[in-house]
Amino acid sequence: MRRRARLLQTIRQYFLVREVLEVETPLLSHCGGTDPQLDFFTTHHNAPPLQQTLYLQTSPEFAMKRLLAAGSGSIYQITKAFRNGESGRFHNPEFTLLEWYRVGFNLSQLMDDIADLIAAIFADSQPPLCATQRMSYQAVFAQYTGLDALVFDAPAYRNYAIHNGLPEAVALCAADHNLWLDFLFSHQVQPHLGLNALCMVYGYPACQSSLARINADNPLVTDRVEIFINGIELGNGYFELTDADEQNRRFDQELALRVQLNRPITVKDTRLVAALQAGLPTCSGMAIGLDRLLMLLSASTSIDGVLNFPLHRA
Amino acid sequence: MAIYSTNEFKAGLKVMLDNDPCAIIENEFVKPGKGQAFNRVKIRNLKTGRVIERTFKSGESLEGADVVDVTMQYLYNDGEFRHFMVPDTFEQYQCDGKTVGEASKWLKDQDPCIVTLWNDAPLAVTPANFVELAIIETDPGVRGDTSGGGGKPAILETSAVVRVPLFVQQGEVIKVDTRTGEYISRVKD
């Protein structure tokens, strides 16, 4: 509990010095995220005549981007986010998220920023963190699997899975490159990343871009970064997409995918698209799960160990 | 039979996997922040006893397995089959050597044990944690020996071989832990 208070203080001090503004946005919104892999909690607003369905946010991203488009400058927020059905050693359906946006930053500047923040947070941890590693997704994927993440060579992927004790992957992933990457990365790569050090993996394959920009030099990769310490995924950042048309297209794709995956249907956030049309400044954004950070700081093996009241006792 | 989804998987749940009944040992939720969620499940095949790891997409489901543990009394061995009886109903089951497996060396007539039934057919036999068996053959002990020291092998009435302290004599009844195969104590009449 004290460690959490100290963590929040460190983060607020870090951003205060750098003149990044702390903001608040609604937890309850009229539309949910469209990410096909996230499920939201819904509730009902009992106010006639609309009787609106409302969603608990899966992340404050859309609202914060609207602030950015309105000219807020660099902002950060420490908030609760909600993801339905996510429960396990590293997951609680309600969790605390730090999300920040730096106007004018590209991905490489964002990575410097992340490294500085993590260094400030782990300043007096024992043992101290080793030097930060930066690796491209392609390099790290090749290092641990010998496969090329950017080019989907189905027979090679299948062959690898069969010879590494994961034969079920063949039927499970079939011809879905994205699914293969999720499967192999989370089983074979991620556990090795960032042994007592911050490991930043950048240059995700374009099919895993979500809301990141496609890299200007290599259209096969996207300007997205994920960070890991001791094999635990802590957060995800983008050189943000500012093209409203492209954003609109990706929303439509994700909504179509949701239908295909039989996931609850949501509505597209047209207010975000409108904000992008009005003009989102060039910026990079990052989100970090603070509960997992606390797990590392306190050497807890389960997220329940750092929450005052995990869901089953809430 | 019931269908169980990955979020209902928990230790001890019995499910069908590749047409074999299995018991779940461990279930870990694995989710890349922006990707597909998986459940990495450690599972024991109840037929072979082998433990494997298998990954499922979260939300996938497996059929439950009709597997129950029933306390029965061991009756006798007819040479080919061993026979067991449910004490309350007098219902009898016969098990072949393969099903009984390692348990055979701890089974004495009339002793209680647990028979695991799958679709009402015996799948495995687990002896009671502690059994009391007579020693039919062991080297004579030497006067002055105490419970310390190396011990000696003793052959029990069920033909199991157990290391016992030197002072334990042929014909005595001893208590054995069947999970470890270790001698616990002598049993006084």
Side-chain angles (χ1 to χ4, degrees), chain B residues 20-168:
Chain B
D20 277 351
C22 294
I24 287 171
I25 304 172
E26 231 178 68
N27 175 20
E28 175 123 298
F29 183 66
V30 180
K31 182 170 191 324
K34 300 279 171 190
Q36 171 69 45
F38 301 105
N39 285 69
R40 185 98 180 119
V41 181
K42 210 183 251 183
I43 204 164
R44 171 178 283 114
N45 183 321
L46 293 172
K47 259 176 148 172
T48 63
R50 274 183 54 202
V51 174
I52 56 162
E53 282 198 277
R54 181 71 84 93
T55 297
F56 299 89
K57 254 199 244 184
S58 292
E60 271 189 296
S61 51
L62 288 176
E63 197 184 336
D66 179 16
V67 173
V68 283
D69 289 336
V70 183
T71 303
M72 297 195 197
Q73 194 176 34
Y74 171 56
L75 298 177
Y76 62 91
N77 181 357
D78 69 6
E80 188 178 359
F81 295 105
R82 287 172 188 262
H83 296 259
F84 298 85
M85 180 181 75
V86 183
D88 299 341
T89 62
F90 307 108
E91 204 176 342
Q92 292 194 16
Y93 291 88
Q94 57 177 30
C95 304
D96 58 19
K98 202 171 132 235
T99 309
V100 178
E102 282 287 287
S104 67
K105 65 181 186 185
W106 306 115
L107 290 177
K108 191 176 72 168
D109 298 1
Q110 316 302 323
D111 269 2
C113 59
I114 292 166
V115 178
T116 305
L117 297 176
W118 172 41
N119 295 336
D120 211 34
L123 188 67
V125 178
T126 315
N129 289 343
F130 299 101
V131 292
E132 293 177 359
L133 297 169
I135 296 174
I136 53 167
E137 196 187 318
T138 188
D139 292 337
V142 181
R143 185 168 291 277
D145 284 338
T146 58
S147 61
K152 59 183 179 180
I155 302 172
L156 308 181
E157 57 185 310
T158 56
S159 76
V161 179
V162 173
R163 277 200 88 73
V164 299
L166 297 172
F167 62 79
V168 177

